[in-house]
Amino acid sequence: MTTQVVSNTQYAKEYIDGVFEALKEKNAHQPEFLQAAEEIFLSLVPVFEQNPAYIKHNVLARIVEPDRIISFRVSWQDDNNKVQVNRGYRVQYNNVIGPYKGGLRFHPTVNESIMKFLAFEQIFKNALTGQPIGGGKGGSDFNPKGKSNSEIMRFCQAFMTELYRHIGPDVDVPAGDIGVGAREVGFLWGQYKRIRGAYEAGVLTGKTPGYGGSLARKEATGYGLVYFVEEMLREANQTFFEKTVVVSGSGNVAIYAIEKAQHFGARVLACSDSAGYIHDPEGIDIKLVKEIKEINGDRINTYVEYRPTATYHEGCTGIWSIPCDIALPCATQNEIDGDSARTLIANGTQVVAEGANMPSNLEAINEFLNAGVLFGPGKAANAGGVAVSALEMAQNSGRTYWSFQEVDEKLHGIMKSIYAQSSEAAKKYGYAGNLVVGSNIAGFVKVADGLISEGVY
Ligand code: NDP
Ligand code: 2IT
């Protein structure tokens, strides 16, 4: 009996290592993609050990290879009538559970590695939501900073002029991510509608409420993150009340995470943008942050002009040296490295939950887990945004709108369920309390079983 278990473990390890070695060889210049894959692969040994059929069906190699990667030229005219060229992407990774689903990122750092890491993560995140959505991601190396409204509109129209032929309400449904909010989704949607000559509202999510968009989509990722942390705290017999919180970023996810954490009685001490962070020991004035970021489209450093209690500090990593009970990275990938993790641990941080995608590198994750910090990985903790996107698709299919409260209640239920699934899978496979392993396994198993049921193609 013992011999059999040992040999199954060995067999599972060898299989996973083999797939990873081949992946490294094929994608040697894609560090973000390999990082995301490694994090998931490391969690899967017990799954393959207990399900040898997954090896027989070679599910890991089949899931880690995207269905297709589309890359295209986007030419557009700036306000000086100069023609600019950017590169657009859509990675359609896996549609076992539903149409490809995932956001669009407009940021100068966008490349194939980043698109693939995001799309790969999205498969398992979407599976965890329990909604019928597959995994995909897209975007462009277009930099929206400093562009006029007309330039943004022309870029979005040019982007959709190519993208439209690859998407559809039953095919692939993009939404927002960094640099893409309701304004950009509106421009993309308008262009899709004109080209298709039909009101296929379910082709994009994150639309303006009342024009095909769902109430509470804007709030969903941030609120969902806080609902998820509420579950983590519940297991430790704690709540948000009077906890100190540090949130990185000051975009869509960060703003609504701050709002909901404050609603639950937490004191949020700091937030940031890519240039620096503000520290307000009396608690962030979220109305002011919204005015600066959502209405004026300004930088976060202007906050200190209105709040004498606050200070501004240049650079992104310093924010993690502010002592806090709960840290919520909500800006971008790899914003917490091993050093920042050790600083947080030394300062007594009890909970770290990821609003951003892959904000903690592998070293940081290991530091948190080894130190007994409660760690909520992004694919579980930030799934609220895409979950409400799926609810937007459902409303669009039913040609109806639900109230804010109805959507928010469903979101709350979904986040509780994601926590429960992750926590139970961790226990079942011998890693109680490890939500990284738990969420990776819970998401992976759903996709693997679906893939096997489809047969080989
Ligand atoms: P936004 O564009 O609204 O905001 C991004 C924020 O992060 C800004 O404050 C931005 O600062 C900061 N930021 C971006 N790039 C960097 C960088 N390289 N270094 C430091 N800070 C940076 O995006 P979102 O809030 O939508 O997205 C934030 C994160 O959450 C991303 O990882 C995204 O993938 C993830 N996410 C988003 C979801 C959504 O529904 N929107 C759902 C799930 C996850 P600056 O303004 O200076 O660029
Ligand atoms: O990373 C993410 O989950 C998102 N950017 C949201 C994707 C979506 O389709 O709503």
Side-chain angles (χ1 to χ4, degrees), residues 105 145 177 179 217 221 250-253 274 299 331-332 356-357:
R105 177 177 290 191
K145 283 210 183 80
D177 192 78
R217 173 61 188 88
T221 313
S250 51
N252 173 258
V253 179
S274 58
R299 308 299 298 161
T332 194
N357 286 307

Side-chain angles (χ1 to χ4, degrees), residues 27-37 66 69-70 87-93 102-123 125 135-142 177-179 331-335 356-359:
N27 302 278
H29 304 295
Q30 300 191 343
E32 295 85 2
F33 172 56
L34 291 175
Q35 181 184 337
I69 300 172
I70 301 150
R87 183 171 293 174
Y89 294 96
R90 188 70 185 166
V91 178
Q92 297 180 332
Y93 223 116
L104 297 170
R105 177 177 290 191
F106 292 170
H107 195 272
T109 56
V110 161
N111 58 32
E112 196 173 302
S113 172
I114 289 179
M115 292 286 96
K116 279 170 66 184
F117 114 64
L118 289 163
F120 186 60
E121 292 260 309
Q122 198 82 45
I123 304 172
K125 180 195 304 193
K137 198 85 185 189
S140 174
D141 56 5
F142 171 73
D177 192 78
I178 291 179
T332 194
Q333 64 272 1
N334 291 328
E335 49 170 319
N357 286 307
M358 207 168 76

Side-chain angles (χ1 to χ4, degrees), residues 358-379:
M358 207 168 76
S360 319
N361 72 11
L362 279 170
E363 189 189 351
I365 294 175
N366 285 331
E367 290 287 350
F368 292 137
L369 294 176
N370 292 336
V373 170
L374 298 177
F375 181 74
K379 69 174 72 62

Side-chain angles (χ1 to χ4, degrees), residues 109-403:
T109 56
V110 161
N111 58 32
E112 196 173 302
S113 172
I114 289 179
M115 292 286 96
K116 279 170 66 184
F117 114 64
L118 289 163
F120 186 60
E121 292 260 309
Q122 198 82 45
I123 304 172
F124 309 105
K125 180 195 304 193
N126 293 4
L128 285 169
T129 66
Q131 300 293 309
I133 42 179
K137 198 85 185 189
S140 174
D141 56 5
F142 171 73
N143 185 359
K145 283 210 183 80
K147 302 290 190 297
S148 69
N149 197 55
S150 312
E151 288 176 323
I152 300 278
M153 182 182 76
R154 286 196 294 275
F155 177 80
C156 288
Q157 291 173 343
F159 185 86
M160 185 53 83
T161 301
E162 173 60 29
L163 186 68
Y164 89 93
R165 68 188 75 244
H166 306 292
I167 62 175
D170 297 317
V171 178
D172 183 355
V173 182
D177 192 78
I178 291 179
V180 178
R183 175 180 62 161
E184 291 74 18
V185 170
F187 292 147
L188 292 162
W189 159 236
Q191 184 72 346
Y192 179 87
K193 185 154 59 79
R194 276 187 288 277
I195 295 173
R196 294 288 299 156
Y199 202 98
E200 296 173 351
V203 70
L204 285 161
T205 60
K207 301 180 295 297
T208 304
Y211 298 91
S214 176
L215 288 167
R217 173 61 188 88
K218 183 175 67 172
E219 293 82 358
T221 313
Y223 280 19
L225 172 66
V226 170
Y227 294 150
F228 189 87
V229 174
E230 217 189 358
E231 297 307 301
M232 296 170 75
L233 288 168
R234 194 190 309 281
E235 200 118 319
N237 283 322
Q238 297 195 40
T239 69
F240 265 101
F241 190 65
E242 291 186 346
K243 292 277 189 303
T244 51
V245 180
V246 164
V247 178
S248 66
S250 51
N252 173 258
V253 179
I255 287 174
Y256 293 95
I258 296 171
E259 183 170 276
K260 189 50 88 176
Q262 289 182 337
H263 177 79
F264 286 157
R267 189 152 51 97
V268 182
L269 302 175
C271 66
S272 61
D273 61 22
S274 58
Y277 67 94
I278 50 158
H279 183 190
D280 191 343
E282 293 199 350
I284 296 284
D285 178 344
I286 189 62
K287 235 178 113 202
L288 178 56
V289 172
K290 281 188 184 179
E291 210 168 290
I292 292 169
K293 301 301 290 189
E294 292 187 335
I295 301 170
N296 303 340
D298 237 329
R299 308 299 298 161
I300 201 65
N301 62 1
T302 57
Y303 183 92
V304 298
E305 291 168 19
Y306 305 92
R307 288 274 287 192
T309 48
T311 50
Y312 175 73
H313 309 262
E314 272 177 23
C316 293
T317 51
I319 195 168
W320 307 121
S321 64
I322 300 171
C324 61
D325 300 314
I326 300 171
L328 304 176
C330 294
T332 194
Q333 64 272 1
N334 291 328
E335 49 170 319
I336 302 186
D337 60 8
D339 286 339
S340 295
R342 285 183 282 275
T343 306
L344 283 163
I345 293 163
N347 284 337
T349 298
Q350 298 150 29
V351 179
V352 177
E354 300 182 323
N357 286 307
M358 207 168 76
S360 319
N361 72 11
L362 279 170
E363 189 189 351
I365 294 175
N366 285 331
E367 290 287 350
F368 292 137
L369 294 176
N370 292 336
V373 170
L374 298 177
F375 181 74
K379 69 174 72 62
N382 74 33
V386 77
V388 171
S389 277
L391 301 181
E392 184 170 323
M393 290 164 71
Q395 291 169 77
N396 292 154
S397 295
R399 297 187 191 278
T400 186
Y401 286 121
W402 301 335
S403 69

